[in-house]
Amino acid sequence: EISGAWFDNKLQYGLVPHCKIGDKVVRAIFHSTVRLVCMTPPSENTYSALPVRISQNGVDWVDTGFSYSYYHQATI
């Protein structure tokens, strides 16, 4: 979940929120003007801190200042 301000979701104006984790782009789930939810895409890039960015149009990106790390699920 990403909290912020002024998020929008107006397809007719090209405003469709996206998230980018590392180099993987996913469409964000718009909950409100202050909350987006991003489902992390699969990746083989484990144990690296990848930057998290958001976009209102899938073209212009803003760095959130946060990072995301993937890890291997433990097997027993």
Side-chain angles (χ1 to χ4, degrees), residues 1-75:
E1 293 185 20
I2 297 177
S3 297
W6 307 106
F7 296 137
D8 215 338
N9 188 35
K10 294 182 179 169
L11 184 58
Q12 68 271 30
Y13 299 114
L15 296 177
V16 180
H18 289 76
C19 296
K20 183 187 277 189
I21 300 167
D23 63 349
K24 306 278 185 177
V25 176
V26 293
R27 190 167 172 177
I29 299 167
F30 176 81
H31 275 251
S32 71
T33 58
V34 296
R35 185 170 155 228
L36 299 176
V37 175
C38 302
M39 302 298 290
T40 56
S43 177
E44 295 298 320
N45 192 355
T46 56
Y47 304 111
S48 296
L50 302 173
V52 177
R53 297 178 179 94
I54 57 171
S55 173
Q56 288 283 83
N57 59 13
V59 176
D60 303 306
W61 297 93
V62 175
D63 192 341
T64 64
F66 294 100
S67 61
Y68 184 85
S69 296
Y70 289 92
Y71 63 92
H72 289 291
Q73 185 167 345
T75 56

